[in-house]
Amino acid sequence: MARAVSTRRMAVATIAAWIVALIIFFPILYTIITSLKSEPEAIQGFNLIPSFTLESYVTVQTQRDYFKPFMNSVVLSVGSTLLALLVAVPAAWSMAFSPTNRTKDILMWMLSTKMMPAVAVLVPIYLIFRDTGLLDTRLGLTIMLTLINLPIVVWMLYTYFREIPGEILEAARMDGATLWGEIVYVLAPMAVPGIASTMLLNIILAWNEAFWTIRLTTTNAAPLTAFIASFSSPQGLFWAKLSAASTLAIAPILIMGWFSQKQLVRGLTFGAVK
Amino acid sequence: MATENTRGLARLMLAPSVALLLIWMIVPLAMTLWFSFQNYNLLNPANVSWTGLFNYKYFYTDPAFFQSIWNTLLIVGGVLVITVVGGIAIALLLDQPMWGQGIVRIMIISPFFVMPPVAALVWKNMIMHPGYGVLADINRALGFQPVDWFAQYPLFSIIIIVAWQWLPFATLILLTALQSLDGEQKEAAEMDGAGFVSRFVYLTLPHLARAITVVILIQTIFLLGVYAEILVTTNGGPGYASTNLAFLIYRTALLGYDVGGASAGGIIAVILANVVAIFLMRAVGKNLDR
């Protein structure tokens, strides 16, 4: 039932929503604006119109070698996501299509591993990493991020796979489809969207993970989280450079996030809210 | 359909995930538990000995301990209140018809995608800095003294930053739930003469109960372990004013090199997380079984 909404009511809602949105978005907006200022300009006081200089971006690359942590972030987030999918797809598949009476318990147990505070195992993990030479390596951190996000990946995939009707498989089998044909022509096309959204969300989570990535790296494998955290030291306090580095660090994930709004709700609530 | 064969295959497919998570859960935790009974300092690794409950006693009598637990609970509670109340308000607003809703949504959801060190440093330097921050500029323009947020209200400042990061999450989930509310029900209530407040209390709020539960559960898991925001802003100070349990354990372990003490703290953190989890599941878990 469509109702005529008065223009006045719509105008009020619009103005209120835009004010709220601009306040919430302001820190990000101001970071982007500041990144386009020169250093003296950045600390001159409140000013929304920058001189549009790119000098901070250039300095961040030439003085601090921005590209290196950026590549580390890419390798770690994509690598750990692919690794987690490799392990999680079969698991979620088997739980969705041949559930036993223990399936629900296994899922809840997997989720409960997320309840364990990371800091509680900081010491053993640090010592294991030190003794096996995994400290400050991409390999070590990729393994860590895979383990941390594995429960979420399994859960997300499970909620997607569960919605694929089992009867379709039976129908395909009746029509004489081989196991291979069943997977390639029937299941894959239905599973791909779910796997893609899981992948997207997991890359976002891995990119922004800021406990293990900071504690287990120093220079070689340090991703953007550790790189930006190093700006907190007194000698790193340059507003425009900090803004440029921050803008570069959040831009790719911000854009990915905008595209995955819908899946985000589903993924992060383990299918409890759709 | 489930023959012996497919069942065996299903188990095989499940095995790697279960095995990995089992190892991930048991091995480090067992090590933490073992270390917590040892006198083990990284500066003196040759001298490791059994000390029984000494580390726990040491941790327990440290004045920073109770403050850190209190701070942990304040961060979790404060952020939950701000994000749930704010989230409901913003979700109700976004549910209204308006111009440019897509852009408004994108702007509101954005903070969630900002990595913690960036969020904390941007707030610390560009917004809350007593000399050059935007809030200081506003204060001066209005004729007030600028506030040194991180020196005067360290914990409150951290709560604000973390709440800013999680507000979009709460808003998005509550909005999704709100949009699944039956429009006809709303209209029927309206026609029966129910005002905005009674519609909200008797119709909207019960409908949102499940989503609110989910928001509280998931945020609590993450909020118990707030770390990077503290590291790059106050470093736990001044004194221990903004040190939560996670940060205290990190200090003991990697700055004090005290493996035993940090492990005892780690076990306490696990217990705290479990107590909170059980309490939460009891209090709000019944909403989830629908």
Side-chain angles (χ1 to χ4, degrees), chain B residues 216-258:
Chain B
I216 292 175
L217 279 176
I218 291 171
Q219 286 196 163
T220 305
I221 296 178
F222 287 93
L223 295 177
L224 280 171
V226 166
Y227 170 77
E229 292 85 348
I230 299 175
L231 178 74
V232 300
T233 54
T234 62
N235 212 0
Y240 289 98
S242 58
T243 297
N244 67 354
L245 190 54
F247 204 79
L248 183 66
I249 295 168
Y250 147 76
R251 262 191 174 177
T252 315
L254 295 187
L255 300 180
Y257 301 103
D258 182 3

mmCIF file of all heavy atoms in Angstrom, chain B residues 216-258:
data_model
loop_
_atom_site.group_PDB
_atom_site.id
_atom_site.type_symbol
_atom_site.label_atom_id
_atom_site.label_comp_id
_atom_site.label_asym_id
_atom_site.label_seq_id
_atom_site.Cartn_x
_atom_site.Cartn_y
_atom_site.Cartn_z
ATOM 1 N N ILE B 216 24.377 -6.904 20.612
ATOM 2 C CA ILE B 216 25.057 -6.947 21.905
ATOM 3 C C ILE B 216 26.047 -8.111 21.971
ATOM 4 O O ILE B 216 27.202 -7.949 22.375
ATOM 5 C CB ILE B 216 24.018 -7.050 23.050
ATOM 6 C CG1 ILE B 216 23.222 -5.744 23.140
ATOM 7 C CG2 ILE B 216 24.697 -7.350 24.373
ATOM 8 C CD1 ILE B 216 22.100 -5.769 24.153
ATOM 9 N N LEU B 217 25.602 -9.292 21.540
ATOM 10 C CA LEU B 217 26.473 -10.471 21.600
ATOM 11 C C LEU B 217 27.743 -10.274 20.786
ATOM 12 O O LEU B 217 28.857 -10.487 21.261
ATOM 13 C CB LEU B 217 25.722 -11.708 21.083
ATOM 14 C CG LEU B 217 24.795 -12.390 22.058
ATOM 15 C CD1 LEU B 217 24.055 -13.523 21.366
ATOM 16 C CD2 LEU B 217 25.598 -12.935 23.232
ATOM 17 N N ILE B 218 27.567 -9.871 19.534
ATOM 18 C CA ILE B 218 28.726 -9.787 18.645
ATOM 19 C C ILE B 218 29.664 -8.658 19.053
ATOM 20 O O ILE B 218 30.880 -8.830 19.103
ATOM 21 C CB ILE B 218 28.265 -9.648 17.190
ATOM 22 C CG1 ILE B 218 27.612 -10.962 16.762
ATOM 23 C CG2 ILE B 218 29.440 -9.314 16.273
ATOM 24 C CD1 ILE B 218 26.928 -10.923 15.459
ATOM 25 N N GLN B 219 29.099 -7.515 19.401
ATOM 26 C CA GLN B 219 29.965 -6.405 19.795
ATOM 27 C C GLN B 219 30.748 -6.735 21.062
ATOM 28 O O GLN B 219 31.915 -6.371 21.188
ATOM 29 C CB GLN B 219 29.141 -5.127 19.995
ATOM 30 C CG GLN B 219 28.692 -4.536 18.684
ATOM 31 C CD GLN B 219 28.222 -3.098 18.802
ATOM 32 O OE1 GLN B 219 28.121 -2.411 17.821
ATOM 33 N NE2 GLN B 219 27.941 -2.635 20.000
ATOM 34 N N THR B 220 30.092 -7.427 22.003
ATOM 35 C CA THR B 220 30.784 -7.750 23.247
ATOM 36 C C THR B 220 32.038 -8.578 22.990
ATOM 37 O O THR B 220 33.092 -8.345 23.586
ATOM 38 C CB THR B 220 29.843 -8.499 24.207
ATOM 39 O OG1 THR B 220 28.682 -7.706 24.403
ATOM 40 C CG2 THR B 220 30.507 -8.746 25.540
ATOM 41 N N ILE B 221 31.927 -9.549 22.074
ATOM 42 C CA ILE B 221 33.091 -10.376 21.748
ATOM 43 C C ILE B 221 34.268 -9.495 21.345
ATOM 44 O O ILE B 221 35.389 -9.662 21.805
ATOM 45 C CB ILE B 221 32.764 -11.350 20.589
ATOM 46 C CG1 ILE B 221 31.680 -12.339 21.017
ATOM 47 C CG2 ILE B 221 34.020 -12.093 20.146
ATOM 48 C CD1 ILE B 221 31.275 -13.302 19.930
ATOM 49 N N PHE B 222 33.990 -8.514 20.481
ATOM 50 C CA PHE B 222 35.072 -7.672 19.982
ATOM 51 C C PHE B 222 35.496 -6.623 21.010
ATOM 52 O O PHE B 222 36.675 -6.289 21.113
ATOM 53 C CB PHE B 222 34.665 -6.997 18.674
ATOM 54 C CG PHE B 222 34.618 -7.940 17.506
ATOM 55 C CD1 PHE B 222 33.450 -8.576 17.147
ATOM 56 C CD2 PHE B 222 35.766 -8.203 16.767
ATOM 57 C CE1 PHE B 222 33.410 -9.460 16.080
ATOM 58 C CE2 PHE B 222 35.740 -9.081 15.708
ATOM 59 C CZ PHE B 222 34.554 -9.711 15.347
ATOM 60 N N LEU B 223 34.532 -6.110 21.782
ATOM 61 C CA LEU B 223 34.839 -5.003 22.686
ATOM 62 C C LEU B 223 35.668 -5.435 23.898
ATOM 63 O O LEU B 223 36.390 -4.636 24.475
ATOM 64 C CB LEU B 223 33.545 -4.330 23.163
ATOM 65 C CG LEU B 223 32.734 -3.632 22.071
ATOM 66 C CD1 LEU B 223 31.449 -3.078 22.631
ATOM 67 C CD2 LEU B 223 33.559 -2.521 21.434
ATOM 68 N N LEU B 224 35.568 -6.709 24.284
ATOM 69 C CA LEU B 224 36.380 -7.188 25.408
ATOM 70 C C LEU B 224 37.859 -7.101 25.063
ATOM 71 O O LEU B 224 38.711 -7.004 25.936
ATOM 72 C CB LEU B 224 36.016 -8.637 25.750
ATOM 73 C CG LEU B 224 34.765 -8.854 26.588
ATOM 74 C CD1 LEU B 224 34.424 -10.334 26.662
ATOM 75 C CD2 LEU B 224 34.938 -8.293 27.988
ATOM 76 N N GLY B 225 38.188 -7.123 23.773
ATOM 77 C CA GLY B 225 39.588 -7.151 23.361
ATOM 78 C C GLY B 225 40.094 -5.868 22.728
ATOM 79 O O GLY B 225 41.074 -5.902 21.987
ATOM 80 N N VAL B 226 39.455 -4.742 23.018
ATOM 81 C CA VAL B 226 39.915 -3.470 22.441
ATOM 82 C C VAL B 226 41.399 -3.280 22.754
ATOM 83 O O VAL B 226 41.817 -3.389 23.906
ATOM 84 C CB VAL B 226 39.101 -2.290 23.008
ATOM 85 C CG1 VAL B 226 39.770 -0.965 22.688
ATOM 86 C CG2 VAL B 226 37.688 -2.311 22.458
ATOM 87 N N TYR B 227 42.188 -3.034 21.732
ATOM 88 C CA TYR B 227 43.623 -2.953 21.971
ATOM 89 C C TYR B 227 44.297 -1.825 21.183
ATOM 90 O O TYR B 227 44.908 -0.928 21.775
ATOM 91 C CB TYR B 227 44.286 -4.300 21.623
ATOM 92 C CG TYR B 227 45.771 -4.226 21.609
ATOM 93 C CD1 TYR B 227 46.493 -4.214 22.792
ATOM 94 C CD2 TYR B 227 46.476 -4.134 20.404
ATOM 95 C CE1 TYR B 227 47.872 -4.111 22.789
ATOM 96 C CE2 TYR B 227 47.852 -4.036 20.393
ATOM 97 C CZ TYR B 227 48.543 -4.026 21.587
ATOM 98 O OH TYR B 227 49.891 -3.914 21.582
ATOM 99 N N ALA B 228 44.164 -1.861 19.858
ATOM 100 C CA ALA B 228 44.909 -0.914 19.021
ATOM 101 C C ALA B 228 44.530 0.532 19.331
ATOM 102 O O ALA B 228 45.380 1.419 19.315
ATOM 103 C CB ALA B 228 44.660 -1.221 17.543
ATOM 104 N N GLU B 229 43.252 0.760 19.637
ATOM 105 C CA GLU B 229 42.792 2.116 19.930
ATOM 106 C C GLU B 229 43.507 2.675 21.154
ATOM 107 O O GLU B 229 43.798 3.869 21.215
ATOM 108 C CB GLU B 229 41.272 2.131 20.160
ATOM 109 C CG GLU B 229 40.439 1.834 18.912
ATOM 110 C CD GLU B 229 40.252 0.357 18.656
ATOM 111 O OE1 GLU B 229 40.955 -0.458 19.306
ATOM 112 O OE2 GLU B 229 39.432 -0.015 17.806
ATOM 113 N N ILE B 230 43.763 1.802 22.141
ATOM 114 C CA ILE B 230 44.466 2.248 23.346
ATOM 115 C C ILE B 230 45.949 2.447 23.046
ATOM 116 O O ILE B 230 46.557 3.433 23.447
ATOM 117 C CB ILE B 230 44.273 1.226 24.484
ATOM 118 C CG1 ILE B 230 42.787 1.094 24.828
ATOM 119 C CG2 ILE B 230 45.077 1.631 25.720
ATOM 120 C CD1 ILE B 230 42.485 0.020 25.843
ATOM 121 N N LEU B 231 46.507 1.512 22.303
ATOM 122 C CA LEU B 231 47.941 1.554 21.995
ATOM 123 C C LEU B 231 48.346 2.870 21.329
ATOM 124 O O LEU B 231 49.342 3.474 21.702
ATOM 125 C CB LEU B 231 48.314 0.374 21.084
ATOM 126 C CG LEU B 231 49.773 0.310 20.640
ATOM 127 C CD1 LEU B 231 50.667 -0.144 21.789
ATOM 128 C CD2 LEU B 231 49.956 -0.615 19.457
ATOM 129 N N VAL B 232 47.581 3.315 20.335
ATOM 130 C CA VAL B 232 48.024 4.488 19.586
ATOM 131 C C VAL B 232 47.551 5.814 20.187
ATOM 132 O O VAL B 232 48.010 6.862 19.767
ATOM 133 C CB VAL B 232 47.603 4.438 18.100
ATOM 134 C CG1 VAL B 232 48.182 3.221 17.423
ATOM 135 C CG2 VAL B 232 46.116 4.490 17.944
ATOM 136 N N THR B 233 46.640 5.770 21.179
ATOM 137 C CA THR B 233 46.215 7.047 21.736
ATOM 138 C C THR B 233 46.859 7.324 23.094
ATOM 139 O O THR B 233 47.751 8.156 23.207
ATOM 140 C CB THR B 233 44.683 7.117 21.890
ATOM 141 O OG1 THR B 233 44.243 5.992 22.643
ATOM 142 C CG2 THR B 233 43.999 7.123 20.553
ATOM 143 N N THR B 234 46.449 6.586 24.135
ATOM 144 C CA THR B 234 46.924 6.904 25.482
ATOM 145 C C THR B 234 48.018 5.962 25.951
ATOM 146 O O THR B 234 48.656 6.228 26.959
ATOM 147 C CB THR B 234 45.764 6.779 26.486
ATOM 148 O OG1 THR B 234 45.320 5.422 26.465
ATOM 149 C CG2 THR B 234 44.630 7.698 26.132
ATOM 150 N N ASN B 235 48.208 4.852 25.240
ATOM 151 C CA ASN B 235 49.144 3.827 25.685
ATOM 152 C C ASN B 235 48.793 3.362 27.102
ATOM 153 O O ASN B 235 49.668 3.015 27.888
ATOM 154 C CB ASN B 235 50.571 4.357 25.613
ATOM 155 C CG ASN B 235 51.553 3.245 25.294
ATOM 156 O OD1 ASN B 235 51.161 2.097 25.128
ATOM 157 N ND2 ASN B 235 52.821 3.575 25.216
ATOM 158 N N GLY B 236 47.512 3.377 27.410
ATOM 159 C CA GLY B 236 47.037 2.866 28.694
ATOM 160 C C GLY B 236 46.976 3.911 29.805
ATOM 161 O O GLY B 236 46.402 3.677 30.845
ATOM 162 N N GLY B 237 47.552 5.082 29.572
ATOM 163 C CA GLY B 237 47.679 6.077 30.631
ATOM 164 C C GLY B 237 46.588 7.109 30.619
ATOM 165 O O GLY B 237 45.600 6.938 29.918
ATOM 166 N N PRO B 238 46.725 8.174 31.358
ATOM 167 C CA PRO B 238 47.818 8.412 32.321
ATOM 168 C C PRO B 238 47.727 7.425 33.489
ATOM 169 O O PRO B 238 46.624 7.147 33.949
ATOM 170 C CB PRO B 238 47.553 9.835 32.819
ATOM 171 C CG PRO B 238 46.412 10.357 32.041
ATOM 172 C CD PRO B 238 45.784 9.265 31.280
ATOM 173 N N GLY B 239 48.872 6.953 33.952
ATOM 174 C CA GLY B 239 48.871 5.882 34.938
ATOM 175 C C GLY B 239 48.231 4.655 34.326
ATOM 176 O O GLY B 239 48.653 4.190 33.267
ATOM 177 N N TYR B 240 47.181 4.159 34.950
ATOM 178 C CA TYR B 240 46.439 3.036 34.387
ATOM 179 C C TYR B 240 45.022 3.450 34.016
ATOM 180 O O TYR B 240 44.150 2.612 33.859
ATOM 181 C CB TYR B 240 46.403 1.877 35.384
ATOM 182 C CG TYR B 240 47.734 1.195 35.540
ATOM 183 C CD1 TYR B 240 48.577 1.501 36.595
ATOM 184 C CD2 TYR B 240 48.153 0.249 34.605
ATOM 185 C CE1 TYR B 240 49.812 0.876 36.730
ATOM 186 C CE2 TYR B 240 49.378 -0.375 34.719
ATOM 187 C CZ TYR B 240 50.201 -0.056 35.785
ATOM 188 O OH TYR B 240 51.414 -0.672 35.905
ATOM 189 N N ALA B 241 44.806 4.759 33.878
ATOM 190 C CA ALA B 241 43.447 5.267 33.718
ATOM 191 C C ALA B 241 42.717 4.692 32.507
ATOM 192 O O ALA B 241 41.504 4.593 32.508
ATOM 193 C CB ALA B 241 43.471 6.789 33.631
ATOM 194 N N SER B 242 43.447 4.329 31.455
ATOM 195 C CA SER B 242 42.750 3.791 30.281
ATOM 196 C C SER B 242 43.298 2.415 29.901
ATOM 197 O O SER B 242 43.265 2.020 28.748
ATOM 198 C CB SER B 242 42.849 4.763 29.107
ATOM 199 O OG SER B 242 44.200 5.007 28.801
ATOM 200 N N THR B 243 43.812 1.694 30.897
ATOM 201 C CA THR B 243 44.313 0.339 30.637
ATOM 202 C C THR B 243 43.183 -0.661 30.848
ATOM 203 O O THR B 243 42.612 -0.714 31.934
ATOM 204 C CB THR B 243 45.467 0.005 31.604
ATOM 205 O OG1 THR B 243 46.534 0.911 31.364
ATOM 206 C CG2 THR B 243 45.960 -1.408 31.400
ATOM 207 N N ASN B 244 42.851 -1.419 29.814
ATOM 208 C CA ASN B 244 41.889 -2.508 30.022
ATOM 209 C C ASN B 244 42.674 -3.801 30.234
ATOM 210 O O ASN B 244 43.912 -3.802 30.201
ATOM 211 C CB ASN B 244 40.867 -2.601 28.883
ATOM 212 C CG ASN B 244 41.488 -3.021 27.571
ATOM 213 O OD1 ASN B 244 42.701 -3.151 27.455
ATOM 214 N ND2 ASN B 244 40.655 -3.231 26.575
ATOM 215 N N LEU B 245 41.959 -4.895 30.475
ATOM 216 C CA LEU B 245 42.640 -6.141 30.810
ATOM 217 C C LEU B 245 43.562 -6.585 29.675
ATOM 218 O O LEU B 245 44.704 -7.002 29.906
ATOM 219 C CB LEU B 245 41.604 -7.222 31.132
ATOM 220 C CG LEU B 245 42.156 -8.512 31.740
ATOM 221 C CD1 LEU B 245 42.985 -8.227 32.968
ATOM 222 C CD2 LEU B 245 41.021 -9.458 32.084
ATOM 223 N N ALA B 246 43.081 -6.485 28.440
ATOM 224 C CA ALA B 246 43.896 -6.885 27.292
ATOM 225 C C ALA B 246 45.200 -6.099 27.272
ATOM 226 O O ALA B 246 46.281 -6.643 27.047
ATOM 227 C CB ALA B 246 43.120 -6.669 25.991
ATOM 228 N N PHE B 247 45.082 -4.798 27.536
ATOM 229 C CA PHE B 247 46.271 -3.956 27.458
ATOM 230 C C PHE B 247 47.219 -4.228 28.620
ATOM 231 O O PHE B 247 48.439 -4.203 28.459
ATOM 232 C CB PHE B 247 45.866 -2.476 27.423
ATOM 233 C CG PHE B 247 46.900 -1.615 26.788
ATOM 234 C CD1 PHE B 247 47.005 -1.565 25.409
ATOM 235 C CD2 PHE B 247 47.782 -0.875 27.550
ATOM 236 C CE1 PHE B 247 47.981 -0.796 24.800
ATOM 237 C CE2 PHE B 247 48.749 -0.097 26.951
ATOM 238 C CZ PHE B 247 48.858 -0.046 25.573
ATOM 239 N N LEU B 248 46.657 -4.530 29.796
ATOM 240 C CA LEU B 248 47.494 -4.834 30.955
ATOM 241 C C LEU B 248 48.309 -6.109 30.708
ATOM 242 O O LEU B 248 49.493 -6.176 31.029
ATOM 243 C CB LEU B 248 46.612 -5.000 32.201
ATOM 244 C CG LEU B 248 47.365 -5.259 33.510
ATOM 245 C CD1 LEU B 248 48.198 -4.040 33.893
ATOM 246 C CD2 LEU B 248 46.410 -5.609 34.639
ATOM 247 N N ILE B 249 47.659 -7.112 30.102
ATOM 248 C CA ILE B 249 48.364 -8.366 29.821
ATOM 249 C C ILE B 249 49.487 -8.123 28.801
ATOM 250 O O ILE B 249 50.609 -8.609 28.961
ATOM 251 C CB ILE B 249 47.377 -9.428 29.299
ATOM 252 C CG1 ILE B 249 46.370 -9.763 30.402
ATOM 253 C CG2 ILE B 249 48.118 -10.671 28.856
ATOM 254 C CD1 ILE B 249 45.190 -10.560 29.911
ATOM 255 N N TYR B 250 49.177 -7.327 27.790
ATOM 256 C CA TYR B 250 50.200 -7.001 26.795
ATOM 257 C C TYR B 250 51.390 -6.306 27.461
ATOM 258 O O TYR B 250 52.544 -6.631 27.204
ATOM 259 C CB TYR B 250 49.585 -6.126 25.698
ATOM 260 C CG TYR B 250 50.543 -5.116 25.105
ATOM 261 C CD1 TYR B 250 51.530 -5.527 24.202
ATOM 262 C CD2 TYR B 250 50.474 -3.770 25.447
ATOM 263 C CE1 TYR B 250 52.414 -4.603 23.658
ATOM 264 C CE2 TYR B 250 51.352 -2.854 24.913
ATOM 265 C CZ TYR B 250 52.324 -3.274 24.027
ATOM 266 O OH TYR B 250 53.191 -2.368 23.504
ATOM 267 N N ARG B 251 51.088 -5.358 28.372
ATOM 268 C CA ARG B 251 52.163 -4.649 29.067
ATOM 269 C C ARG B 251 53.031 -5.610 29.866
ATOM 270 O O ARG B 251 54.255 -5.538 29.833
ATOM 271 C CB ARG B 251 51.551 -3.644 30.044
ATOM 272 C CG ARG B 251 51.481 -2.252 29.518
ATOM 273 C CD ARG B 251 51.106 -1.338 30.686
ATOM 274 N NE ARG B 251 51.150 0.051 30.270
ATOM 275 C CZ ARG B 251 50.813 1.067 31.057
ATOM 276 N NH1 ARG B 251 50.415 0.840 32.289
ATOM 277 N NH2 ARG B 251 50.880 2.292 30.624
ATOM 278 N N THR B 252 52.354 -6.511 30.617
ATOM 279 C CA THR B 252 53.088 -7.465 31.446
ATOM 280 C C THR B 252 53.957 -8.379 30.585
ATOM 281 O O THR B 252 55.099 -8.675 30.922
ATOM 282 C CB THR B 252 52.098 -8.322 32.257
ATOM 283 O OG1 THR B 252 51.107 -7.469 32.801
ATOM 284 C CG2 THR B 252 52.794 -9.066 33.366
ATOM 285 N N ALA B 253 53.389 -8.827 29.454
ATOM 286 C CA ALA B 253 54.084 -9.813 28.635
ATOM 287 C C ALA B 253 55.228 -9.194 27.840
ATOM 288 O O ALA B 253 56.378 -9.600 27.974
ATOM 289 C CB ALA B 253 53.101 -10.485 27.672
ATOM 290 N N LEU B 254 54.922 -8.213 27.014
ATOM 291 C CA LEU B 254 55.914 -7.770 26.047
ATOM 292 C C LEU B 254 56.704 -6.559 26.506
ATOM 293 O O LEU B 254 57.745 -6.253 25.947
ATOM 294 C CB LEU B 254 55.255 -7.510 24.690
ATOM 295 C CG LEU B 254 54.669 -8.766 24.040
ATOM 296 C CD1 LEU B 254 54.196 -8.480 22.645
ATOM 297 C CD2 LEU B 254 55.674 -9.912 24.016
ATOM 298 N N LEU B 255 56.226 -5.863 27.531
ATOM 299 C CA LEU B 255 57.036 -4.764 28.046
ATOM 300 C C LEU B 255 57.727 -5.165 29.340
ATOM 301 O O LEU B 255 58.815 -4.712 29.648
ATOM 302 C CB LEU B 255 56.184 -3.504 28.256
ATOM 303 C CG LEU B 255 55.498 -2.962 26.995
ATOM 304 C CD1 LEU B 255 54.686 -1.716 27.321
ATOM 305 C CD2 LEU B 255 56.511 -2.659 25.907
ATOM 306 N N GLY B 256 57.067 -6.062 30.132
ATOM 307 C CA GLY B 256 57.669 -6.509 31.384
ATOM 308 C C GLY B 256 58.385 -7.846 31.231
ATOM 309 O O GLY B 256 59.029 -8.310 32.152
ATOM 310 N N TYR B 257 58.270 -8.472 30.059
ATOM 311 C CA TYR B 257 58.894 -9.773 29.767
ATOM 312 C C TYR B 257 58.487 -10.852 30.756
ATOM 313 O O TYR B 257 59.155 -11.850 30.899
ATOM 314 C CB TYR B 257 60.428 -9.647 29.752
ATOM 315 C CG TYR B 257 60.910 -8.657 28.745
ATOM 316 C CD1 TYR B 257 61.330 -7.389 29.127
ATOM 317 C CD2 TYR B 257 60.939 -8.985 27.393
ATOM 318 C CE1 TYR B 257 61.753 -6.461 28.194
ATOM 319 C CE2 TYR B 257 61.368 -8.069 26.455
ATOM 320 C CZ TYR B 257 61.775 -6.810 26.861
ATOM 321 O OH TYR B 257 62.188 -5.906 25.927
ATOM 322 N N ASP B 258 57.377 -10.630 31.473
ATOM 323 C CA ASP B 258 56.960 -11.564 32.508
ATOM 324 C C ASP B 258 55.959 -12.565 31.930
ATOM 325 O O ASP B 258 54.764 -12.320 31.907
ATOM 326 C CB ASP B 258 56.333 -10.768 33.665
ATOM 327 C CG ASP B 258 55.908 -11.662 34.807
ATOM 328 O OD1 ASP B 258 56.151 -12.886 34.730
ATOM 329 O OD2 ASP B 258 55.342 -11.141 35.771
#
